[in-house]
């Protein structure tokens, strides 16, 4: 993955049938994503002709296109860009298995109810926020920046905060309430007093504990449990 950060979300959509291209454009526009730019292409060849690494955060491809299929286009994209989110449009669910080869995030069936279409598109853009957005901190003594996807959890201790990441931990003088205020709108949830975790890094939830990806067992507060289970099930379903 690259360390690029989302300021403007650039989305490429590619379908050789104009009716589906316009439909997809309209559905994305209806989501009213802040700072979003949608770029239309009518073939894989047209998309690849100007493509460079880091150009888009999200690419949505029709699977079945003449000359160069969506899967073939995705294979060429993956040769240079490993982190862009690739999703596919298709009329047939059986194509989904082939998408694992190019690390596809989501398959969208063209002829499905609007509410499902919207849910699937929303999950793609939620993933984009989580994958590319960063958490920053800076004062006179310390400055750092981590991608949200690399953060496991935060612990709040009075005027200190400890951030646990995939590469280690760091203590700094911060306000835990402010951390929660900033990150609860993403895939983070409070599971106990002074504990904010990333749903992305949950390995397992037992009766009273959560096992994180670093092996740590984190207790779930009694008053938080119902919300934790509900949020995690919703997160897992969207994935």
């Amino acid at each position: 993955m690259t360390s690029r950060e989302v300021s403007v979300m650039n989305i490429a959509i590619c379908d050789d049938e104009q009716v589906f291209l316009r439909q997809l454009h309209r559905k994305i526009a209806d989501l009213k994503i802040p700072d979003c730019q949608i770029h239309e292409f009518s073939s894989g060849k047209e998309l690849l002709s100007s493509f460079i690494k880091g150009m888009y955060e999200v690419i949505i491809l029709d699977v079945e296109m003449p000359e160069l299929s969506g899967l073939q286009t995705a294979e060429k994209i993956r040769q240079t860009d490993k982190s862009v989110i690739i999703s596919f449009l298709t009329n047939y669910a059986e194509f989904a298995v082939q998408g694992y080869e190019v690390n596809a995030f989501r398959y969208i069936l063209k002829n499905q109810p609007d509410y499902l279409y919207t849910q699937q598109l929303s999950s793609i853009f939620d993933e984009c926020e989580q994958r590319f957005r960063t958490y920053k901190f800076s004062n006179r003594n310390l400055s750092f920046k981590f991608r949200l996807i690399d953060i496991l959890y935060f612990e709040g201790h009075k005027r200190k905060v400890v951030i646990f990441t995939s590469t280690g931990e760091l203590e700094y003088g911060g306000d835990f309430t402010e951390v929660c205020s900033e990150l609860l709108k993403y895939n983070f949830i409070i599971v106990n007093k002074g504990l904010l975790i990333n749903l992305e890094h949950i390995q397992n939830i037992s009766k009273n504990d959560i096992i994180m990806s670093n092996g740590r067992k984190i207790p779930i507060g009694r008053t938080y449990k119902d919300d934790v289970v509900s949020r995690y099930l919703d997160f897992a379903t969207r994935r």
Side-chain angles (χ1 to χ4, degrees):
M1 281 189 164
T2 67
S3 59
R4 66 194 185 197
E5 180 183 354
V6 173
S7 51
V8 174
M9 186 186 297
N10 284 288
I11 302 164
I13 57 176
C14 184
D15 197 316
D16 62 305
E17 297 183 72
Q18 281 295 312
V19 61
F20 288 116
L21 193 64
R22 298 307 304 164
Q23 180 187 61
L24 179 58
H25 190 130
R26 185 179 67 254
K27 288 182 182 297
I28 294 172
D30 287 345
L31 294 175
K32 302 187 185 305
I33 302 165
D35 302 316
C36 169
Q37 294 184 3
I38 305 169
H39 308 262
E40 293 186 9
F41 300 92
S42 58
S43 71
K45 185 177 180 180
E46 182 187 5
L47 169 59
L48 292 172
S49 67
S50 60
F51 178 79
I52 59 172
K53 180 180 179 180
M55 195 171 197
Y56 306 108
E57 280 69 53
V58 176
I59 299 175
I60 303 177
L61 299 160
D62 180 27
V63 171
E64 298 179 277
M65 294 188 290
E67 293 189 58
L68 208 60
S69 72
L71 289 164
Q72 290 171 324
T73 304
E75 287 171 359
K76 292 183 179 296
I77 289 168
R78 279 288 180 244
Q79 290 173 9
T80 57
D81 196 327
K82 304 296 184 186
S83 64
V84 62
I85 296 171
I86 295 177
S87 294
F88 290 106
L89 283 170
T90 181
N91 286 311
Y92 306 103
E94 56 264 30
F95 280 114
V97 176
Q98 300 175 53
Y100 288 114
E101 297 178 8
V102 292
N103 192 26
F105 174 72
R106 176 75 69 228
Y107 269 76
I108 302 171
L109 292 175
K110 290 183 176 180
N111 298 309
Q112 63 176 328
D114 280 349
Y115 80 93
L116 288 175
Y117 213 126
T118 299
Q119 283 179 5
Q120 292 179 335
L121 286 174
S122 295
S123 74
I124 292 170
F125 303 124
D126 287 346
E127 173 69 11
C128 185
E129 289 279 9
Q130 183 77 358
R131 187 175 296 189
F132 298 120
R133 191 164 294 279
T134 59
Y135 174 74
K136 303 176 185 178
F137 176 83
S138 182
N139 63 19
R140 289 180 296 176
N141 303 313
L142 178 67
S143 180
F144 63 78
K145 178 172 70 173
F146 292 107
R147 293 181 306 166
L148 297 190
I149 200 169
D150 292 328
I151 300 172
L152 281 68
Y153 51 93
F154 292 84
E155 287 185 353
H157 303 282
K158 295 184 179 179
R159 297 182 181 178
K160 297 286 184 181
V161 175
V162 184
I163 180 172
F164 293 81
T165 74
S166 55
T167 56
E169 61 186 81
L170 177 67
E171 181 178 288
Y172 63 99
D175 187 329
F176 181 73
T177 302
E178 290 182 2
V179 175
C180 294
S181 177
E182 179 176 348
L183 297 183
L184 282 172
K185 58 189 171 184
Y186 303 114
N187 290 330
F188 286 80
I189 186 169
I190 299 171
V191 299
N192 214 327
K193 186 177 180 181
L195 280 168
L196 178 75
I197 71 167
N198 188 345
L199 294 167
E200 187 85 33
H201 286 280
I202 292 178
Q203 292 291 320
N204 187 38
I205 298 180
S206 64
K207 184 177 180 180
N208 299 308
D209 302 293
I210 293 171
I211 307 299
M212 300 298 292
S213 59
N214 64 350
R216 180 174 173 188
K217 183 184 291 187
I218 294 179
I220 306 174
R222 185 179 303 172
T223 58
Y224 299 93
K225 186 171 183 180
D226 288 346
D227 188 42
V228 170
V229 173
S230 175
R231 279 283 305 279
Y232 183 68
L233 287 175
D234 178 64
F235 168 79
T237 300
R238 288 187 286 110
R239 299 299 295 238

